[in-house]
Amino acid sequence: MLDLTYELPKPKVISGAKHDWELVIGMEVHAQVSSNAKLFSGASTQFGAEPNSNVSFVDAAMPGMLPVINEYCVEQAVRTGLGLKADINLWSAFDRKNYFYPDLPQGYQISQLYHPIVGEGEVLVELGDGTARMVRIERIHMEQDAGKSIHDMDPNMSFVDLNRTGVCLMEIVSRPDIRGPEEAAAYIAKLRQIMRYLGTCDGNMQNGNLRADVNVSICLPGAYEKYQETQDFSHLGTRCEIKNMNSMRFIQQAIEVEARRQIAIVEAGGEVEQETRLYDPDKGETRSMRSKEEAHDYRYFPDPDLLPLEIEQDWVDDIAANLPELPDEKKARFIADFGLTDYDASVLTADVESAAYFDEVAKGRNGKLAANWVINELFGRLKKEDHDITDSPVSPAQLGGIIDLISSDAISGKIAKDLFEIVYTEGGDPAKIVEERGMKQVTDTGAIETALDEIIAANPAQVEKAKVNPKLAGWFVGQVMKATGGKANPKAVNELVAKKLG
Protein backbone atom coordinates (compact mmCIF):
# COMPACT_ATOMS: atom_id res chain seq x y z
CA MET A 1 0.00 0.00 0.00
CA LEU A 2 1.28 3.48 -0.82
CA ASP A 3 2.32 5.80 1.96
CA LEU A 4 -0.72 8.01 1.45
CA THR A 5 -3.27 8.57 4.20
CA TYR A 6 -6.96 9.07 3.51
CA GLU A 7 -10.14 9.03 5.56
CA LEU A 8 -13.05 6.84 4.50
CA PRO A 9 -15.77 8.95 2.83
CA LYS A 10 -19.24 9.01 4.33
CA PRO A 11 -22.00 7.29 2.33
CA LYS A 12 -24.49 9.36 0.38
CA VAL A 13 -27.69 9.82 2.44
CA ILE A 14 -31.02 10.66 0.81
CA SER A 15 -33.91 11.77 2.99
CA GLY A 16 -37.19 10.06 2.21
CA ALA A 17 -40.62 10.92 3.59
CA LYS A 18 -40.21 8.37 6.41
CA HIS A 19 -36.50 7.49 6.72
CA ASP A 20 -33.00 8.41 5.75
CA TRP A 21 -31.63 6.02 3.12
CA GLU A 22 -28.13 5.09 2.04
CA LEU A 23 -26.98 4.03 -1.42
CA VAL A 24 -25.15 0.86 -2.36
CA ILE A 25 -23.62 0.70 -5.83
CA GLY A 26 -21.76 -1.94 -7.80
CA MET A 27 -20.51 -1.49 -11.34
CA GLU A 28 -19.84 -3.63 -14.38
CA VAL A 29 -17.49 -1.68 -16.62
CA HIS A 30 -17.03 -2.77 -20.24
CA ALA A 31 -13.64 -1.64 -21.52
CA GLN A 32 -12.69 -2.19 -25.15
CA VAL A 33 -9.21 -3.68 -25.37
CA SER A 34 -6.69 -1.59 -27.30
CA SER A 35 -5.66 -3.96 -30.09
CA ASN A 36 -5.48 -3.85 -33.87
CA ALA A 37 -7.46 -7.07 -34.35
CA LYS A 38 -10.56 -8.58 -32.77
CA LEU A 39 -10.68 -11.25 -30.07
CA PHE A 40 -11.27 -14.24 -32.36
CA SER A 41 -10.55 -12.90 -35.85
CA GLY A 42 -8.01 -10.82 -37.73
CA ALA A 43 -10.54 -8.12 -38.67
CA SER A 44 -9.57 -4.52 -37.90
CA THR A 45 -10.87 -2.72 -34.81
CA GLN A 46 -10.50 0.74 -36.39
CA PHE A 47 -13.21 3.14 -35.24
CA GLY A 48 -15.14 5.13 -37.82
CA ALA A 49 -14.64 2.79 -40.77
CA GLU A 50 -17.38 2.35 -43.36
CA PRO A 51 -20.25 0.26 -41.90
CA ASN A 52 -19.69 -3.49 -42.18
CA SER A 53 -16.19 -3.06 -43.66
CA ASN A 54 -14.29 -4.51 -40.66
CA VAL A 55 -16.08 -7.86 -40.66
CA SER A 56 -14.46 -11.26 -41.18
CA PHE A 57 -16.26 -14.52 -41.98
CA VAL A 58 -15.92 -15.44 -38.28
CA ASP A 59 -17.55 -12.15 -37.19
CA ALA A 60 -20.38 -12.67 -39.66
CA ALA A 61 -20.93 -16.23 -38.33
CA MET A 62 -20.51 -17.85 -41.72
CA PRO A 63 -20.96 -21.65 -41.59
CA GLY A 64 -17.82 -23.59 -40.73
CA MET A 65 -15.86 -20.56 -39.50
CA LEU A 66 -13.99 -21.21 -36.23
CA PRO A 67 -12.68 -18.66 -33.72
CA VAL A 68 -8.92 -18.34 -33.15
CA ILE A 69 -7.94 -16.47 -30.00
CA ASN A 70 -5.88 -13.30 -30.24
CA GLU A 71 -2.93 -13.71 -27.84
CA TYR A 72 -2.40 -9.95 -27.59
CA CYS A 73 -5.94 -9.46 -26.23
CA VAL A 74 -5.17 -12.05 -23.55
CA GLU A 75 -1.96 -10.18 -22.71
CA GLN A 76 -3.89 -6.91 -22.42
CA ALA A 77 -6.40 -8.50 -20.03
CA VAL A 78 -3.56 -9.89 -17.89
CA ARG A 79 -1.83 -6.51 -17.90
CA THR A 80 -5.05 -4.84 -16.73
CA GLY A 81 -5.48 -7.39 -13.95
CA LEU A 82 -1.92 -6.80 -12.76
CA GLY A 83 -2.51 -3.05 -12.84
CA LEU A 84 -5.52 -3.53 -10.56
CA LYS A 85 -3.46 -5.71 -8.17
CA ALA A 86 -5.68 -8.66 -9.04
CA ASP A 87 -5.14 -12.40 -9.10
CA ILE A 88 -4.32 -13.83 -12.53
CA ASN A 89 -5.87 -17.20 -13.25
CA LEU A 90 -3.50 -19.42 -15.20
CA TRP A 91 -6.48 -21.55 -16.28
CA SER A 92 -9.62 -19.96 -17.69
CA ALA A 93 -12.31 -20.99 -20.14
CA PHE A 94 -14.82 -19.51 -22.59
CA ASP A 95 -18.58 -20.06 -22.49
CA ARG A 96 -21.40 -19.33 -24.86
CA LYS A 97 -24.01 -16.87 -23.64
CA ASN A 98 -27.06 -17.57 -25.80
CA TYR A 99 -29.52 -14.86 -26.79
CA PHE A 100 -30.97 -13.41 -29.98
CA TYR A 101 -30.39 -9.87 -31.14
CA PRO A 102 -30.08 -8.53 -34.72
CA ASP A 103 -26.51 -7.29 -34.20
CA LEU A 104 -25.32 -10.66 -32.82
CA PRO A 105 -24.92 -12.84 -35.94
CA GLN A 106 -23.88 -16.01 -34.09
CA GLY A 107 -26.93 -15.99 -31.84
CA TYR A 108 -24.59 -16.20 -28.86
CA GLN A 109 -21.79 -14.21 -27.26
CA ILE A 110 -18.48 -15.86 -26.35
CA SER A 111 -17.74 -14.83 -22.78
CA GLN A 112 -16.22 -16.17 -19.53
CA LEU A 113 -18.84 -16.80 -16.85
CA TYR A 114 -17.49 -19.61 -14.74
CA HIS A 115 -13.72 -19.31 -15.16
CA PRO A 116 -12.57 -15.70 -15.80
CA ILE A 117 -8.99 -14.85 -16.61
CA VAL A 118 -8.65 -12.34 -13.73
CA GLY A 119 -9.79 -12.77 -10.14
CA GLU A 120 -10.05 -10.40 -7.18
CA GLY A 121 -8.30 -7.02 -7.16
CA GLU A 122 -8.73 -3.49 -5.82
CA VAL A 123 -8.85 0.16 -6.84
CA LEU A 124 -8.11 3.13 -4.57
CA VAL A 125 -10.64 5.83 -5.48
CA GLU A 126 -9.66 9.31 -4.26
CA LEU A 127 -12.37 11.93 -3.94
CA GLY A 128 -10.24 15.08 -3.77
CA ASP A 129 -11.21 16.07 -0.23
CA GLY A 130 -8.75 13.92 1.69
CA THR A 131 -11.05 10.88 1.53
CA ALA A 132 -10.74 7.70 -0.50
CA ARG A 133 -12.64 4.46 -0.97
CA MET A 134 -10.99 1.10 -1.62
CA VAL A 135 -13.27 -0.58 -4.16
CA ARG A 136 -12.85 -4.33 -4.49
CA ILE A 137 -12.76 -5.89 -7.93
CA GLU A 138 -14.57 -9.23 -8.07
CA ARG A 139 -13.35 -10.37 -11.49
CA ILE A 140 -12.36 -9.37 -15.00
CA HIS A 141 -13.43 -11.54 -17.90
CA MET A 142 -12.98 -11.28 -21.66
CA GLU A 143 -15.87 -11.36 -24.08
CA GLN A 144 -16.91 -10.38 -27.58
CA ASP A 145 -18.65 -7.09 -28.19
CA ALA A 146 -21.88 -7.08 -30.20
CA GLY A 147 -22.57 -4.97 -33.28
CA LYS A 148 -24.59 -1.78 -33.42
CA SER A 149 -28.23 -1.35 -34.39
CA ILE A 150 -29.03 2.01 -36.01
CA HIS A 151 -32.63 3.20 -35.79
CA ASP A 152 -32.50 6.84 -36.94
CA MET A 153 -31.48 6.55 -40.60
CA ASP A 154 -34.87 5.54 -41.98
CA PRO A 155 -38.41 5.95 -40.61
CA ASN A 156 -39.42 2.44 -41.64
CA MET A 157 -36.42 0.23 -40.97
CA SER A 158 -33.34 -0.27 -38.84
CA PHE A 159 -29.78 -0.94 -39.98
CA VAL A 160 -27.04 -3.08 -38.47
CA ASP A 161 -23.31 -2.28 -38.45
CA LEU A 162 -21.17 -5.29 -37.54
CA ASN A 163 -17.83 -3.47 -37.41
CA ARG A 164 -17.77 -3.71 -33.60
CA THR A 165 -18.86 -7.35 -33.55
CA GLY A 166 -16.15 -9.54 -32.07
CA VAL A 167 -14.05 -6.69 -30.67
CA CYS A 168 -12.50 -7.76 -27.35
CA LEU A 169 -14.08 -6.36 -24.21
CA MET A 170 -12.90 -6.65 -20.64
CA GLU A 171 -15.82 -6.69 -18.23
CA ILE A 172 -14.57 -5.36 -14.90
CA VAL A 173 -17.00 -6.30 -12.14
CA SER A 174 -16.80 -4.51 -8.79
CA ARG A 175 -18.16 -5.48 -5.41
CA PRO A 176 -21.00 -3.30 -4.07
CA ASP A 177 -18.50 -1.03 -2.33
CA ILE A 178 -19.43 2.32 -3.89
CA ARG A 179 -21.67 4.51 -1.72
CA GLY A 180 -22.63 7.54 -3.79
CA PRO A 181 -22.92 9.10 -7.28
CA GLU A 182 -19.67 11.07 -6.94
CA GLU A 183 -17.81 7.93 -5.87
CA ALA A 184 -19.20 6.07 -8.89
CA ALA A 185 -17.91 8.71 -11.29
CA ALA A 186 -14.55 8.84 -9.49
CA TYR A 187 -14.29 5.05 -9.71
CA ILE A 188 -14.86 5.11 -13.48
CA ALA A 189 -12.33 7.93 -13.82
CA LYS A 190 -9.73 5.98 -11.83
CA LEU A 191 -10.25 2.79 -13.86
CA ARG A 192 -9.96 4.82 -17.05
CA GLN A 193 -6.78 6.49 -15.79
CA ILE A 194 -5.14 3.18 -14.85
CA MET A 195 -6.00 1.52 -18.18
CA ARG A 196 -4.72 4.52 -20.13
CA TYR A 197 -1.43 4.32 -18.21
CA LEU A 198 -1.28 0.60 -19.00
CA GLY A 199 -2.22 1.13 -22.64
CA THR A 200 -4.93 -1.51 -22.43
CA CYS A 201 -7.97 0.70 -23.19
CA ASP A 202 -8.09 4.25 -24.54
CA GLY A 203 -11.08 5.05 -22.31
CA ASN A 204 -12.93 6.94 -25.04
CA MET A 205 -16.49 7.02 -23.67
CA GLN A 206 -17.84 9.03 -26.58
CA ASN A 207 -16.96 6.22 -29.00
CA GLY A 208 -18.36 3.59 -26.63
CA ASN A 209 -14.92 2.18 -25.82
CA LEU A 210 -15.69 2.51 -22.11
CA ARG A 211 -19.22 2.10 -20.80
CA ALA A 212 -20.77 0.94 -17.56
CA ASP A 213 -23.76 -0.94 -16.22
CA VAL A 214 -24.58 0.56 -12.82
CA ASN A 215 -26.28 -1.55 -10.14
CA VAL A 216 -28.14 0.60 -7.61
CA SER A 217 -29.90 -0.37 -4.39
CA ILE A 218 -30.91 1.39 -1.17
CA CYS A 219 -30.72 0.38 2.48
CA LEU A 220 -31.37 1.84 5.91
CA PRO A 221 -28.39 3.26 7.85
CA GLY A 222 -26.49 0.44 9.56
CA ALA A 223 -27.61 -2.27 7.13
CA TYR A 224 -24.53 -1.97 4.95
CA GLU A 225 -22.26 -2.54 7.94
CA LYS A 226 -24.17 -5.75 8.68
CA TYR A 227 -23.63 -6.84 5.08
CA GLN A 228 -19.90 -6.16 5.40
CA GLU A 229 -19.72 -8.26 8.56
CA THR A 230 -21.67 -11.21 7.15
CA GLN A 231 -21.44 -10.79 3.33
CA ASP A 232 -25.18 -11.56 3.44
CA PHE A 233 -26.91 -9.63 0.64
CA SER A 234 -30.28 -9.90 2.40
CA HIS A 235 -29.26 -6.86 4.47
CA LEU A 236 -29.26 -4.78 1.27
CA GLY A 237 -32.16 -3.75 -0.93
CA THR A 238 -33.05 -5.24 -4.30
CA ARG A 239 -30.74 -3.87 -6.96
CA CYS A 240 -31.65 -2.54 -10.37
CA GLU A 241 -29.16 -2.30 -13.22
CA ILE A 242 -28.92 0.86 -15.32
CA LYS A 243 -27.56 -0.27 -18.68
CA ASN A 244 -24.95 1.16 -21.06
CA MET A 245 -23.90 4.41 -19.39
CA ASN A 246 -21.11 6.26 -21.20
CA SER A 247 -21.05 9.66 -19.48
CA MET A 248 -19.72 10.53 -16.02
CA ARG A 249 -22.37 13.21 -15.61
CA PHE A 250 -25.23 10.95 -16.67
CA ILE A 251 -23.97 8.15 -14.39
CA GLN A 252 -24.27 10.47 -11.40
CA GLN A 253 -27.68 11.74 -12.47
CA ALA A 254 -29.02 8.24 -13.14
CA ILE A 255 -27.93 6.93 -9.72
CA GLU A 256 -29.65 9.81 -7.94
CA VAL A 257 -32.86 9.40 -9.99
CA GLU A 258 -32.97 5.61 -9.58
CA ALA A 259 -32.33 5.80 -5.83
CA ARG A 260 -35.19 8.23 -5.33
CA ARG A 261 -37.48 6.01 -7.44
CA GLN A 262 -36.67 3.02 -5.22
CA ILE A 263 -37.16 5.03 -2.02
CA ALA A 264 -40.60 6.17 -3.18
CA ILE A 265 -41.62 2.56 -3.94
CA VAL A 266 -40.42 1.15 -0.61
CA GLU A 267 -41.86 3.96 1.50
CA ALA A 268 -45.21 3.48 -0.23
CA GLY A 269 -45.20 -0.15 0.91
CA GLY A 270 -44.15 -1.68 -2.39
CA GLU A 271 -41.22 -3.84 -3.38
CA VAL A 272 -38.46 -3.00 -5.82
CA GLU A 273 -38.29 -5.52 -8.67
CA GLN A 274 -34.88 -6.61 -9.89
CA GLU A 275 -34.66 -5.47 -13.49
CA THR A 276 -32.56 -3.77 -16.13
CA ARG A 277 -33.41 -0.13 -16.75
CA LEU A 278 -32.35 2.66 -19.10
CA TYR A 279 -31.70 6.28 -18.12
CA ASP A 280 -33.40 9.04 -20.12
CA PRO A 281 -31.43 12.25 -19.49
CA ASP A 282 -34.01 14.40 -21.29
CA LYS A 283 -36.84 13.27 -19.01
CA GLY A 284 -34.61 12.78 -15.96
CA GLU A 285 -35.95 9.30 -15.28
CA THR A 286 -35.08 5.62 -15.58
CA ARG A 287 -37.44 3.31 -17.40
CA SER A 288 -37.77 -0.45 -17.47
CA MET A 289 -35.91 -2.25 -20.24
CA ARG A 290 -36.42 -5.90 -19.23
CA SER A 291 -36.67 -8.08 -16.17
CA LYS A 292 -33.23 -9.02 -14.85
CA GLU A 293 -32.09 -12.27 -16.39
CA GLU A 294 -30.23 -14.90 -14.41
CA ALA A 295 -27.40 -17.03 -15.75
CA HIS A 296 -29.72 -19.93 -16.53
CA ASP A 297 -31.78 -17.69 -18.81
CA TYR A 298 -28.81 -17.50 -21.17
CA ARG A 299 -28.23 -21.29 -21.21
CA TYR A 300 -24.48 -20.92 -20.67
CA PHE A 301 -22.32 -23.85 -21.67
CA PRO A 302 -18.58 -24.26 -22.44
CA ASP A 303 -17.76 -23.12 -25.97
CA PRO A 304 -17.03 -26.32 -27.94
CA ASP A 305 -14.87 -24.47 -30.49
CA LEU A 306 -12.37 -23.15 -27.93
CA LEU A 307 -10.09 -25.13 -25.64
CA PRO A 308 -9.57 -23.89 -22.09
CA LEU A 309 -7.05 -21.06 -21.98
CA GLU A 310 -3.85 -22.03 -20.18
CA ILE A 311 -1.08 -19.47 -19.61
CA GLU A 312 2.29 -19.82 -17.89
CA GLN A 313 3.37 -18.02 -14.73
CA ASP A 314 6.65 -17.01 -16.37
CA TRP A 315 4.68 -15.19 -19.08
CA VAL A 316 2.60 -13.37 -16.45
CA ASP A 317 5.76 -12.48 -14.50
CA ASP A 318 7.32 -11.05 -17.65
CA ILE A 319 4.26 -8.84 -18.23
CA ALA A 320 4.36 -7.73 -14.56
CA ALA A 321 8.06 -6.87 -14.82
CA ASN A 322 7.36 -4.54 -17.74
CA LEU A 323 4.37 -2.65 -16.30
CA PRO A 324 4.74 1.14 -16.41
CA GLU A 325 4.68 3.26 -13.27
CA LEU A 326 0.97 3.54 -12.40
CA PRO A 327 -0.91 6.67 -11.26
CA ASP A 328 -0.83 6.05 -7.49
CA GLU A 329 2.89 5.26 -7.51
CA LYS A 330 3.67 8.20 -9.78
CA LYS A 331 1.67 10.57 -7.59
CA ALA A 332 3.48 9.34 -4.46
CA ARG A 333 6.83 9.87 -6.21
CA PHE A 334 5.95 13.39 -7.33
CA ILE A 335 5.00 14.28 -3.75
CA ALA A 336 8.13 12.69 -2.25
CA ASP A 337 10.72 13.76 -4.86
CA PHE A 338 9.45 17.20 -5.82
CA GLY A 339 7.66 18.31 -2.64
CA LEU A 340 4.37 18.82 -4.49
CA THR A 341 1.01 19.17 -2.79
CA ASP A 342 -1.48 16.33 -3.07
CA TYR A 343 -3.61 18.51 -5.35
CA ASP A 344 -0.80 19.46 -7.73
CA ALA A 345 0.41 15.85 -7.92
CA SER A 346 -3.16 14.72 -8.71
CA VAL A 347 -3.48 17.27 -11.54
CA LEU A 348 -0.14 16.29 -13.04
CA THR A 349 -0.85 12.55 -12.94
CA ALA A 350 -4.45 12.81 -14.18
CA ASP A 351 -3.38 11.42 -17.54
CA VAL A 352 -0.26 9.66 -18.71
CA GLU A 353 0.74 12.34 -21.24
CA SER A 354 0.62 15.17 -18.67
CA ALA A 355 2.63 13.13 -16.18
CA ALA A 356 5.29 12.32 -18.77
CA TYR A 357 5.49 15.99 -19.81
CA PHE A 358 5.99 17.17 -16.22
CA ASP A 359 8.52 14.43 -15.51
CA GLU A 360 10.68 15.70 -18.36
CA VAL A 361 10.34 19.35 -17.40
CA ALA A 362 11.10 18.73 -13.71
CA LYS A 363 14.12 16.47 -14.29
CA GLY A 364 17.09 18.11 -12.53
CA ARG A 365 15.09 21.27 -11.76
CA ASN A 366 13.05 22.80 -8.95
CA GLY A 367 9.94 20.57 -8.91
CA LYS A 368 7.61 23.12 -7.34
CA LEU A 369 8.61 25.80 -9.85
CA ALA A 370 8.20 23.33 -12.70
CA ALA A 371 4.75 22.28 -11.42
CA ASN A 372 3.67 25.92 -11.16
CA TRP A 373 4.62 26.62 -14.77
CA VAL A 374 3.15 23.40 -16.15
CA ILE A 375 -0.16 23.69 -14.27
CA ASN A 376 -0.81 27.44 -14.22
CA GLU A 377 0.82 28.73 -17.38
CA LEU A 378 0.81 25.83 -19.82
CA PHE A 379 -2.33 23.90 -18.74
CA GLY A 380 -4.17 27.19 -18.23
CA ARG A 381 -3.36 28.36 -21.75
CA LEU A 382 -4.16 24.98 -23.32
CA LYS A 383 -7.52 24.82 -21.53
CA LYS A 384 -8.38 28.33 -22.66
CA GLU A 385 -7.80 27.26 -26.27
CA ASP A 386 -9.52 23.87 -25.78
CA HIS A 387 -6.33 21.88 -26.43
CA ASP A 388 -4.75 19.05 -24.50
CA ILE A 389 -1.13 18.39 -23.65
CA THR A 390 -0.53 16.39 -26.84
CA ASP A 391 -1.29 19.58 -28.82
CA SER A 392 1.11 21.76 -26.80
CA PRO A 393 3.22 24.06 -29.01
CA VAL A 394 5.72 24.33 -26.12
CA SER A 395 7.91 21.26 -25.73
CA PRO A 396 9.19 20.06 -22.33
CA ALA A 397 12.69 21.18 -23.37
CA GLN A 398 11.45 24.68 -24.17
CA LEU A 399 9.53 25.07 -20.92
CA GLY A 400 12.49 23.63 -19.04
CA GLY A 401 14.67 26.24 -20.74
CA ILE A 402 12.42 29.05 -19.47
CA ILE A 403 12.60 27.63 -15.93
CA ASP A 404 16.41 27.43 -16.19
CA LEU A 405 16.55 31.12 -17.10
CA ILE A 406 14.38 32.01 -14.09
CA SER A 407 16.45 29.86 -11.74
CA SER A 408 19.72 31.44 -12.91
CA ASP A 409 18.29 34.96 -12.43
CA ALA A 410 18.81 35.61 -16.14
CA ILE A 411 15.17 36.73 -16.35
CA SER A 412 12.49 37.78 -13.86
CA GLY A 413 9.11 36.14 -13.44
CA LYS A 414 7.47 38.95 -15.42
CA ILE A 415 9.93 38.60 -18.30
CA ALA A 416 9.45 34.84 -18.14
CA LYS A 417 5.74 35.27 -18.87
CA ASP A 418 6.55 37.46 -21.87
CA LEU A 419 9.07 34.85 -23.00
CA PHE A 420 6.52 32.04 -22.58
CA GLU A 421 4.11 33.94 -24.83
CA ILE A 422 6.78 34.27 -27.53
CA VAL A 423 7.72 30.59 -27.34
CA TYR A 424 4.04 29.53 -27.31
CA THR A 425 3.13 31.56 -30.39
CA GLU A 426 6.41 31.65 -32.35
CA GLY A 427 8.52 28.78 -31.02
CA GLY A 428 12.30 28.94 -30.72
CA ASP A 429 15.02 28.41 -28.14
CA PRO A 430 14.24 30.46 -24.99
CA ALA A 431 17.91 31.26 -24.27
CA LYS A 432 18.50 32.56 -27.81
CA ILE A 433 15.29 34.61 -27.74
CA VAL A 434 16.36 36.29 -24.50
CA GLU A 435 19.82 37.05 -25.92
CA GLU A 436 18.65 38.28 -29.31
CA ARG A 437 15.79 40.44 -27.99
CA GLY A 438 17.67 41.94 -25.05
CA MET A 439 15.36 40.45 -22.44
CA LYS A 440 18.03 39.63 -19.89
CA GLN A 441 17.40 40.78 -16.36
CA VAL A 442 19.48 43.74 -15.15
CA THR A 443 21.48 42.50 -12.17
CA ASP A 444 24.09 45.27 -12.19
CA THR A 445 23.34 47.08 -8.91
CA GLY A 446 25.17 50.16 -10.20
CA ALA A 447 22.73 50.62 -13.06
CA ILE A 448 19.75 49.92 -10.78
CA GLU A 449 21.09 52.39 -8.17
CA THR A 450 21.53 55.11 -10.79
CA ALA A 451 17.91 54.71 -11.89
CA LEU A 452 16.71 54.74 -8.27
CA ASP A 453 18.72 57.85 -7.39
CA GLU A 454 17.15 59.74 -10.28
CA ILE A 455 13.64 58.74 -9.15
CA ILE A 456 14.35 59.71 -5.51
CA ALA A 457 15.78 63.08 -6.58
CA ALA A 458 12.71 63.82 -8.72
CA ASN A 459 10.19 62.88 -6.00
CA PRO A 460 11.25 64.36 -2.61
CA ALA A 461 7.65 64.54 -1.32
CA GLN A 462 7.13 60.84 -2.04
CA VAL A 463 10.38 60.07 -0.21
CA GLU A 464 9.12 61.78 2.95
CA LYS A 465 5.80 59.90 2.78
CA ALA A 466 7.62 56.57 2.37
CA LYS A 467 9.79 57.27 5.40
CA VAL A 468 6.63 57.81 7.47
CA ASN A 469 4.79 54.86 5.90
CA PRO A 470 7.24 52.13 4.73
CA LYS A 471 4.48 50.43 2.72
CA LEU A 472 4.77 53.26 0.18
CA ALA A 473 8.28 52.08 -0.69
CA GLY A 474 6.64 49.78 -3.22
CA TRP A 475 5.96 52.84 -5.37
CA PHE A 476 9.71 53.33 -5.85
CA VAL A 477 10.15 49.64 -6.72
CA GLY A 478 7.51 50.00 -9.41
CA GLN A 479 9.11 53.13 -10.82
CA VAL A 480 12.52 51.47 -11.06
CA MET A 481 11.01 48.45 -12.81
CA LYS A 482 9.24 50.82 -15.21
CA ALA A 483 12.44 52.78 -15.87
CA THR A 484 14.36 49.59 -16.66
CA GLY A 485 11.65 48.13 -18.87
CA GLY A 486 10.86 45.45 -16.26
CA LYS A 487 14.38 44.03 -16.57
CA ALA A 488 15.74 45.01 -13.16
CA ASN A 489 16.19 42.19 -10.66
CA PRO A 490 13.22 42.68 -8.27
CA LYS A 491 15.18 41.40 -5.27
CA ALA A 492 18.05 43.82 -5.88
CA VAL A 493 15.58 46.69 -6.39
CA ASN A 494 13.79 45.97 -3.11
CA GLU A 495 17.07 45.80 -1.20
CA LEU A 496 18.32 49.11 -2.63
CA VAL A 497 15.01 50.90 -1.98
CA ALA A 498 15.02 49.72 1.61
CA LYS A 499 18.65 50.87 2.03
CA LYS A 500 18.10 54.30 0.42
CA LEU A 501 14.89 55.07 2.33
CA GLY A 502 16.26 53.86 5.62
Side-chain angles (χ1 to χ4, degrees), residues 338 340 358 361-372 403-404 407:
F338 300 121
L340 304 188
F358 171 75
V361 172
K363 194 178 298 180
R365 300 186 175 98
N366 182 311
K368 289 184 177 180
L369 183 61
N372 179 57
I403 293 169
D404 288 340
S407 300

Side-chain angles (χ1 to χ4, degrees), residues 482-493:
K482 185 177 179 181
T484 58
K487 296 178 185 177
N489 184 308
K491 183 180 178 183
V493 174

Side-chain angles (χ1 to χ4, degrees), residues 279-455:
Y279 175 62
D280 186 333
D282 295 326
K283 295 182 179 179
E285 64 182 22
T286 63
R287 64 174 184 270
S288 182
M289 179 183 178
R290 59 174 181 259
S291 61
K292 180 66 177 176
E293 296 94 340
E294 302 296 339
H296 63 260
D297 293 319
Y298 290 108
R299 305 186 315 284
Y300 278 97
F301 61 85
D303 193 298
D305 293 333
L306 289 161
L307 291 170
L309 181 61
E310 296 186 45
I311 58 179
E312 296 179 352
Q313 186 62 51
D314 288 347
W315 187 61
V316 175
D317 292 342
D318 185 57
I319 296 172
N322 290 285
L323 289 182
E325 185 180 36
L326 293 173
D328 289 344
E329 288 77 16
K330 193 176 288 289
K331 177 180 174 181
R333 177 170 63 83
F334 282 2
I335 292 172
D337 292 359
F338 300 121
L340 304 188
T341 63
D342 185 276
Y343 174 80
D344 283 353
S346 294
V347 171
L348 291 167
T349 56
D351 62 75
V352 64
E353 293 87 3
S354 295
Y357 187 101
F358 171 75
D359 238 341
E360 197 171 336
V361 172
K363 194 178 298 180
R365 300 186 175 98
N366 182 311
K368 289 184 177 180
L369 183 61
N372 179 57
W373 274 87
V374 171
I375 294 172
N376 296 324
E377 300 301 326
L378 181 62
F379 286 2
R381 181 64 177 269
L382 291 173
K383 184 177 181 180
K384 183 179 178 182
E385 298 183 358
D386 198 26
H387 293 152
D388 60 35
I389 192 67
T390 57
D391 302 319
S392 173
V394 180
S395 71
Q398 287 173 314
L399 188 56
I402 294 173
I403 293 169
D404 288 340
L405 291 166
I406 298 170
S407 300
S408 65
D409 279 338
I411 59 175
S412 66
K414 181 180 182 304
I415 294 173
K417 291 192 177 184
D418 295 337
L419 177 60
F420 176 82
E421 181 64 26
I422 293 169
V423 174
Y424 191 95
T425 55
E426 302 175 24
D429 177 9
K432 287 184 179 178
I433 292 170
V434 166
E435 194 68 43
E436 292 170 358
R437 304 195 186 190
M439 299 173 72
K440 267 193 174 179
Q441 185 168 238
V442 177
T443 55
D444 178 8
T445 54
I448 296 173
E449 188 171 8
T450 299
L452 177 58
D453 286 342
E454 291 176 0
I455 292 166

Side-chain angles (χ1 to χ4, degrees), residues 93-108:
F94 288 97
D95 308 292
R96 287 189 182 181
K97 179 182 182 181
N98 296 274
Y99 65 95
F100 170 79
Y101 207 71
D103 57 21
L104 193 70
Q106 295 164 314
Y108 59 83

Side-chain angles (χ1 to χ4, degrees), residues 83-120:
L84 300 181
K85 302 177 178 61
D87 300 325
I88 306 300
N89 297 321
L90 301 182
W91 192 97
S92 61
F94 288 97
D95 308 292
R96 287 189 182 181
K97 179 182 182 181
N98 296 274
Y99 65 95
F100 170 79
Y101 207 71
D103 57 21
L104 193 70
Q106 295 164 314
Y108 59 83
Q109 179 188 39
I110 302 177
S111 184
Q112 292 184 312
L113 174 67
Y114 300 109
H115 303 287
I117 190 165
V118 177
E120 295 183 347

Side-chain angles (χ1 to χ4, degrees), residues 114-229:
Y114 300 109
H115 303 287
I117 190 165
V118 177
E120 295 183 347
E122 61 184 29
V123 179
L124 181 69
V125 180
E126 302 163 44
L127 300 177
D129 58 356
T131 64
R133 175 86 63 190
M134 186 63 78
V135 177
R136 296 169 297 164
I137 301 297
E138 180 182 316
R139 55 187 277 145
I140 303 176
H141 63 259
M142 294 184 292
E143 64 184 22
Q144 297 171 298
D145 202 352
K148 183 179 181 182
S149 296
I150 303 166
H151 307 292
D152 56 0
M153 290 180 63
D154 189 283
N156 301 313
M157 64 181 74
S158 293
F159 296 83
V160 175
D161 180 5
L162 297 180
N163 278 350
R164 205 168 63 188
T165 301
V167 168
C168 182
L169 295 180
M170 297 178 289
E171 182 167 337
I172 306 170
V173 182
S174 82
R175 298 283 186 184
D177 292 347
I178 302 166
R179 306 302 311 281
E182 296 80 11
E183 285 185 29
Y187 168 73
I188 295 289
K190 187 60 174 285
L191 273 184
R192 180 179 184 273
Q193 180 191 36
I194 291 171
M195 289 188 289
R196 282 173 56 81
Y197 267 71
L198 292 166
T200 57
C201 174
D202 66 16
N204 191 323
M205 299 183 80
Q206 187 175 357
N207 292 350
N209 296 354
L210 187 70
R211 49 196 192 269
D213 299 339
V214 186
N215 290 284
V216 180
S217 66
I218 57 171
C219 66
L220 292 171
Y224 185 80
E225 287 70 23
K226 291 178 182 176
Y227 154 72
Q228 288 284 47
E229 291 171 9

